[in-house]
Amino acid sequence: MKLEISLEELKQRTENLRQRMKSEGFDALVIYSDEYRTGHASYVTNYKPINVIEESPQLVILIGDLQPVVLLGRLNAYAARDMCWIEDVRGIHRPYTDLPEIFASIVGRKSRIGLIGKNILPVEIYEQIGDAVPDATFESRDDVMLDLRKIKSAAEIDLMERAADINDVVLKEAAKLVKVGMTEIQVAGLAENIARQMNADIGSATVVMSGPNTNYPAWRATDRKIQPGEYVMLDFNPAIGNYCNDGGITILMPGADPEQERALVVGHRALKKVIPTIRPGITARSIFDTLLEELEPHGFAKNFTPYAKGLRGVGHAVGLDVVELPNLSSDSDFELEAGMTLAVKLDLHDLPGGGYRIEVVVAVTEDGVRPLNKLVLEQPDDFAVQR
């Protein structure tokens, strides 16, 4: 059975946005995404642009009861006209011809336009829209979209679970196949090759860190060769039907210090205890609290707490984008809701030989939690330790 988002669901999403637009007194919504952060526009169009430099923007415009309009880079627009359910798909290269026509129904009067994705909207496109509707006022309102995207449908979760299943295969194989002497780039290639063989797309850059590079929160894989006794962090993000997974493990190479192995095993045990406690109604902060409670008796609180505060401290939402709001951290004060899909991650740093990350994506259900990544929860605590 092919997994996909139905036309009915896509139309309902658009109608939900339109109703929210009207209820808040907006005359139009302008939704912007690019090929790296596709989620807002792809949520409406079900089309994901490919990066061919200037051809990567995706702009969705909703005005009153009019049919939506999509503007993309010229090369992407050819495919989108065939693939997208929306009839009016245009290239974005004729702004002073197309935008006045698109906004004609609200030109010449005071109108309110909500901007979704303003933080990544290019200044040039923003100015072009402003020139088309000179009497309009603009308001940044990502929350209009995020309120809808944070709760996933059954179809969305099915796609994410398929991506998670593929990632579990990738990570399990990597735990066996990554060897001393391989470069970080080769490890990234190994992971991506397995996923591609299983017909997965790649949701975002593959993160591979080894040895001293595991001290960084993010790192582009290099030609550095893996050495004996090192941590090798693999944070991999396959996607199916535009929906992503964000699972990760850290592999410990042969010849490691016993303290490195103890730290990694403790981390696996902590996640196995914490994830089953997730359920709707608990505060997001409680995930941090429970992880800290599991780590403190083993002496790893100091390796955990500095990295669990603020942006994506112990995780984040996942969906059309690998990283979505809301974030999970020691500062999070919202309650979990059924339908949320969350990447729960444990980062420990300043250990002998660097640091590590373990990450598992889960779906919050009506009465508990449904792990989408199962590998870390089902394997022995030391499965990623090579001896």
Side-chain angles (χ1 to χ4, degrees):
M1 181 182 68
K2 184 177 180 181
L3 299 175
E4 59 185 14
I5 303 300
S6 69
L7 176 60
E8 291 73 19
E9 184 167 334
L10 293 169
K11 288 183 175 180
Q12 186 60 56
R13 293 174 181 181
T14 308
E15 184 58 28
N16 291 342
L17 282 167
R18 199 186 303 277
Q19 292 304 317
R20 180 74 179 267
M21 174 180 71
K22 291 180 178 179
S23 70
E24 301 213 11
F26 287 106
D27 298 283
L29 289 178
V30 173
I31 304 164
Y32 181 80
S33 292
D34 60 26
E35 80 281 6
Y36 297 112
R37 296 149 295 189
T38 65
H40 288 332
S42 294
Y43 186 76
V44 178
T45 66
N46 204 34
Y47 180 79
K48 183 174 182 177
I50 186 170
N51 175 20
V52 278
I53 313 303
E54 76 279 4
E55 304 294 343
S56 60
Q58 184 171 201
L59 193 69
V60 180
I61 300 173
L62 282 177
I63 302 173
D65 289 317
L66 300 177
Q67 292 300 306
V69 181
V70 184
L71 296 100
L72 300 112
R74 279 176 286 182
L75 298 183
N76 277 287
Y78 286 104
R81 290 188 185 103
D82 289 338
M83 303 300 295
C84 182
W85 69 274
I86 295 171
E87 292 185 5
D88 194 347
V89 176
R90 313 183 187 198
I92 205 168
H93 58 290
R94 303 185 308 169
Y96 291 107
T97 299
D98 287 332
L99 290 176
E101 176 191 329
I102 293 166
F103 285 103
S105 63
I106 60 174
V107 170
R109 62 183 175 89
K110 298 291 184 182
S111 56
R112 293 179 65 218
I113 298 177
L115 295 179
I116 297 171
K118 182 184 177 184
N119 62 314
I120 59 174
L121 178 65
V123 172
E124 182 179 35
I125 296 176
Y126 180 66
E127 290 175 344
Q128 291 165 351
I129 296 170
D131 291 342
V133 277
D135 299 316
T137 58
F138 295 88
E139 184 177 338
S140 182
R141 291 300 302 271
D142 282 14
D143 61 298
V144 171
M145 179 67 79
L146 292 170
D147 285 348
L148 297 176
R149 287 182 60 192
K150 72 179 180 181
I151 304 300
K152 306 299 193 293
S153 68
E156 290 177 290
I157 293 173
D158 285 346
L159 287 164
M160 294 180 66
E161 186 161 36
R162 176 58 183 152
D165 289 343
I166 290 172
N167 207 9
D168 281 351
V169 172
V170 170
L171 298 176
K172 186 175 183 179
E173 289 300 301
K176 297 181 291 186
L177 297 177
V178 172
K179 301 298 180 186
V180 169
M182 293 177 67
T183 68
E184 293 172 336
I185 291 174
Q186 288 172 332
V187 174
L190 184 155
E192 292 172 10
N193 179 60
I194 297 170
R196 294 291 196 189
Q197 291 290 333
M198 299 179 73
N199 285 318
D201 196 1
I202 308 299
S204 70
T206 302
V207 177
V208 180
M209 312 176 194
S210 64
N213 297 337
T214 59
N215 289 311
Y216 299 117
W219 180 255
R220 183 178 292 276
T222 70
D223 61 357
R224 180 188 185 276
K225 291 185 177 181
I226 297 166
Q227 303 300 310
E230 290 187 338
Y231 287 124
V232 180
M233 188 187 302
L234 174 56
D235 191 336
F236 185 54
N237 314 123
I240 293 291
N242 300 330
Y243 281 83
C244 303
N245 182 249
D246 188 13
I249 61 170
T250 299
I251 305 159
L252 186 56
M253 294 290 100
D257 186 304
E259 183 65 7
Q260 291 174 274
E261 180 174 339
R262 184 178 79 88
L264 189 57
V265 167
V266 165
H268 279 264
R269 289 175 180 168
L271 277 176
K272 286 179 178 178
K273 289 185 178 180
V274 170
I275 286 176
T277 69
I278 294 173
R279 62 187 184 280
I282 67 170
T283 64
R285 181 198 160 91
S286 68
I287 295 175
F288 161 82
D289 291 336
T290 314
L291 280 170
L292 180 59
E293 182 180 323
E294 293 296 326
L295 293 168
E296 277 184 320
H298 302 281
F300 292 117
K302 66 182 184 302
N303 308 100
F304 170 68
T305 49
Y307 309 95
K309 187 178 180 66
L311 187 64
R312 305 197 297 272
V314 292
H316 51 82
V318 187
L320 282 165
D321 295 310
V322 172
V323 175
E324 299 183 352
L325 292 174
N327 289 314
L328 300 175
S329 80
S330 59
D331 299 327
S332 297
D333 59 359
F334 63 93
E335 290 187 355
L336 302 189
E337 300 177 55
M340 285 182 167
T341 46
L342 307 171
V344 181
K345 70 185 182 77
L346 173 60
D347 278 42
L348 294 188
H349 290 276
D350 298 321
L351 299 163
Y356 72 74
R357 175 179 303 152
I358 315 166
E359 195 161 12
V360 174
V361 176
V362 304
V364 183
T365 66
E366 293 291 343
D367 56 1
V369 67
R370 172 182 164 192
L372 302 185
N373 290 106
K374 305 171 184 68
L375 176 72
V376 166
L377 304 179
E378 294 177 350
Q379 291 292 309
D381 300 323
D382 62 351
F383 84 94
V385 177
Q386 294 186 7
R387 298 183 178 90

